[in-house]
């Protein structure tokens, strides 16, 4: 997840909180790097994963831009977070750039949300009682995560910040929702972001921001996520999600250059990944890869956190109302009780019973024919007697079954 791209955040968190966030994350960050290979043989299957609720994921105005060549503003790490030192600009390198969509208040592109501010009624997710507000989403080719060593063509990351996260006592203020992208019949809403850059030539990689209006509710797969784990960002950052300066004395801290040298990116977030892929056409994928011909994905990392996989709980087989007339293949010397107690109803509620002599069969008398065990008297002497059972369930649906009894008399 390329989090540092084009941020330009200001330091909004209080110094004491900033230090608290830093102290609680740096040790975790070394062991929770992203992306990872998801080994399905070692994932922890959970039949009741946390639910992920999407709020206001509807039609939205978005600023779409290629961040290559743009500027990132970050604070150097002299002093402490209260005195962050010199504010510098760096040029975003192609390997850390992406195509990024940022929610805006309107189509003028002048009101796009800053990363640390929540849009009123903007898109967000709620998971385990916490709300995380969409800050931006962006794309990678090839996919950053792999599943059993297999790497899809592309991947999209929806980056969220805990509502009021920069003022909350939470050491993990971010949540990322990711989905793979395969080649196929393109998803209409997803394709809008790539069609917006149709005319952008590779010799003009910075291009200009494009305006796209899309229905975010139809971009992600219409199913539940498959995997979740605790991980990190996949790009270096001079500051965290909340603009907090990360001292170079902390593993993974310091400037972007220092983070690249250490190989540790210090921000930690919650990850939620879909198995069901999205789709783009071969031409749309080709156009994106032409912008980043060497790829814009981070290499796989080791991660000590557990990976949870939503287990597919088999649904109970549908039960149909069924009549069962017994006994089968039996012989009677005198009167006999028939038996319909093995009949079942679709909802487990009591059935109603109706027994009769089968059409064209020998004559017999049936007493208590509206019960499950009526008594039969044979009236024509030796021979086969046929009986038909009809059961009716609570919904009024019926089913029938027959049985034959050989009466031999005494």
């Amino acid at each position: 997840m390329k989090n540092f791209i084009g941020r330009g955040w200001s330091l909004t968190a209080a110094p004491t909180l900033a230090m608290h966030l830093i102290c609680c994350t740096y040790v975790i960050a070394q062991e929770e790097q992203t992306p990872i290979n998801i080994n399905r043989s070692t994932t922890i299957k959970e039949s009741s994963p946390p639910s992920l609720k999407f709020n206001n994921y509807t039609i939205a105005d978005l600023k779409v831009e290629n961040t290559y060549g743009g500027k990132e503003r970050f604070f150097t790490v002299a002093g402490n977070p209260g005195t962050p030192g010199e504010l510098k600009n760096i040029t975003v390198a192609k390997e850390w750039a992406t195509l990024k969509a940022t929610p805006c208040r309107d189509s003028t592109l002048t009101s796009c949300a800053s990363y640390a501010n929540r849009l009123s009624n903007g898109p967000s997710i709620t998971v385990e009682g916490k709300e995380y507000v969409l800050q931006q989403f962006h794309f990678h080719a090839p996919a950053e995560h792999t599943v059993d060593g297999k790497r899809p063509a592309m991947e999209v990351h929806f980056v969220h910040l805990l509502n009021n996260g920069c003022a909350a006592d939470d050491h993990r203020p971010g949540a990322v929702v990711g989905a793979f992208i395969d080649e196929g019949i393109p998803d209409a809403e997803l394709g809008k972001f790539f069609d917006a850059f149709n005319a952008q030539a590779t010799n003009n990689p910075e291009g200009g921001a494009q305006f796209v209006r899309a229905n975010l509710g139809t971009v992600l797969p219409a199913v539940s996520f498959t995997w979740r784990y605790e991980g990190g960002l996949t790009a270096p950052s001079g500051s965290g999600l909340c603009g907090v300066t990360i001292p170079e004395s902390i593993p993974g801290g310091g400037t972007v250059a220092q983070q690249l040298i250490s190989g540790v990116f210090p921000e930690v977030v919650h990850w939620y990944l879909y198995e069901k892929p999205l789709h783009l056409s071969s031409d749309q994928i080709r156009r994106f890869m032409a912008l980043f011909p060497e790829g814009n994905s981070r290499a796989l990392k080791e991660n000590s956190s557990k990976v949870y996989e939503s287990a597919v709980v088999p649904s109970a087989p549908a039960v149909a109302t069924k009549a069962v007339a017994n006994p089968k293949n039996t012989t009677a010397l005198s009167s006999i009780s028939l038996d319909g107690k093995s009949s079942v109803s679709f909802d487990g509620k009591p059935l109603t019973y109706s027994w009769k002599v089968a059409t064209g069969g020998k004559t017999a008398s049936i007493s208590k024919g509206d019960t499950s065990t009526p008594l039969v008297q044979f009236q024509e002497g030796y021979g086969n007697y046929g009986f038909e059972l009809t059961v009716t369930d609570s919904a009024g649906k019926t089913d029938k079954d027959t049985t034959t009894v050989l009466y031999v008399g005494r």
Side-chain angles (χ1 to χ4, degrees):
M1 184 193 71
K2 310 292 186 187
N3 180 68
F4 87 111
I5 300 164
R7 284 189 303 206
W9 296 333
S10 60
L11 188 64
T12 58
T16 54
L17 173 61
M19 185 58 71
H20 169 77
L21 291 172
I22 291 169
C23 291
C24 293
T25 59
Y26 78 91
V27 175
I28 298 174
Q30 296 180 79
E31 300 178 352
E32 294 186 358
Q33 294 292 285
T34 295
I36 63 172
N37 173 57
I38 297 172
N39 185 341
R40 303 194 78 159
S41 66
T42 61
T43 57
I44 299 173
K45 308 302 188 291
E46 52 180 358
S47 58
S48 298
S51 61
L52 197 157
K53 177 185 177 184
F54 289 87
N55 314 302
N56 299 314
Y57 259 70
T58 56
I59 296 175
D61 295 325
L62 301 133
K63 178 182 179 180
V64 184
E65 56 190 324
N66 180 354
T67 61
Y68 171 49
K71 301 292 183 180
E72 181 202 5
R73 305 182 73 200
F74 72 98
F75 291 102
T76 61
V77 292
N80 58 57
T83 56
E86 182 184 0
L87 182 64
K88 288 188 175 182
N89 287 331
I90 62 167
T91 300
V92 178
K94 183 175 288 189
E95 66 176 309
W96 303 113
T98 188
L99 196 63
K100 180 183 70 173
T102 306
C104 304
R105 292 185 187 274
D106 54 54
S107 61
T108 65
L109 304 185
T110 60
S111 59
C112 296
S114 68
Y115 285 83
N117 295 331
R118 180 178 189 270
L119 281 176
S120 176
N121 297 318
S124 69
I125 60 173
T126 301
V127 58
E128 296 186 302
K130 295 180 179 180
E131 182 186 24
Y132 298 82
V133 181
L134 177 65
Q135 305 299 301
Q136 50 101 339
F137 59 95
H138 59 265
F139 302 87
H140 300 279
E144 294 203 300
H145 291 87
T146 61
V147 180
D148 290 336
K150 296 181 180 179
R151 190 184 301 272
M154 291 183 64
E155 189 170 338
V156 59
H157 296 156
F158 285 70
V159 184
H160 300 78
L161 176 65
L162 185 66
N163 190 6
N164 203 27
C166 294
D169 186 13
D170 195 304
H171 72 276
R172 199 182 297 268
V176 185
V177 179
F180 297 123
I181 301 173
D182 286 341
E183 180 181 327
I185 299 174
D187 300 329
E189 296 300 300
L190 181 66
K192 289 181 179 180
F193 303 102
F194 298 87
D195 294 339
F197 275 72
N198 186 34
Q200 184 172 344
T202 55
N203 60 0
N204 181 27
E206 294 183 45
Q210 307 290 319
F211 164 70
V212 171
R213 175 168 288 168
N215 186 351
L216 296 181
T218 62
V219 173
L220 285 168
V223 294
S224 300
F225 68 87
T226 305
W227 301 285
R228 66 183 181 94
Y229 75 98
E230 304 300 275
L233 305 183
T234 62
S237 170
S239 57
L241 276 169
C242 292
V244 175
T245 301
I246 302 174
E248 59 183 296
S249 59
I250 290 176
T255 65
V256 168
Q258 289 169 321
Q259 290 175 22
L260 289 173
I261 292 172
S262 71
V264 177
F265 300 164
E267 192 74 85
V268 286
V269 298
H270 306 285
W271 276 94
Y272 303 92
L273 292 170
Y274 287 88
E275 179 180 18
K276 182 178 177 63
L278 305 171
H279 294 92
L280 289 172
S281 69
S282 59
D283 184 59
Q284 288 167 329
I285 294 175
R286 178 193 58 77
R287 290 204 305 267
F288 181 82
M289 296 184 70
L291 298 176
F292 310 101
E294 297 178 358
N296 67 335
S297 301
R298 191 186 190 198
L300 293 175
K301 300 297 176 182
E302 294 294 326
N303 188 311
S304 63
S305 66
K306 298 176 181 178
V307 179
Y308 294 88
E309 181 171 353
S310 301
V312 177
V313 180
S315 58
V319 176
T321 295
K322 183 175 179 59
V324 180
N326 284 321
K328 305 286 190 188
N329 303 316
T330 190
T331 301
L333 297 176
S334 60
S335 61
I336 189 174
S337 290
L338 301 177
D339 187 352
K341 290 185 292 186
S342 294
S343 302
V344 294
S345 61
F346 79 98
D347 57 1
K349 294 181 179 180
L351 294 164
T352 60
Y353 299 85
S354 178
W355 293 87
K356 71 175 185 178
V357 175
T359 303
K362 290 180 175 293
T363 302
S365 65
I366 301 175
S367 63
K368 296 184 179 180
D370 58 353
T371 68
S372 62
T373 54
L375 181 66
V376 170
Q377 299 283 346
F378 303 96
Q379 297 179 341
E380 292 192 33
Y382 179 88
N384 286 312
Y385 289 75
F387 302 95
E388 181 181 274
L389 168 64
T390 300
V391 296
T392 305
D393 60 27
S394 62
K397 295 181 179 180
T398 62
D399 191 51
K400 297 180 179 182
D401 189 30
T402 60
T403 187
T404 301
V405 178
L406 173 61
Y407 176 67
V408 296
R410 291 188 182 276

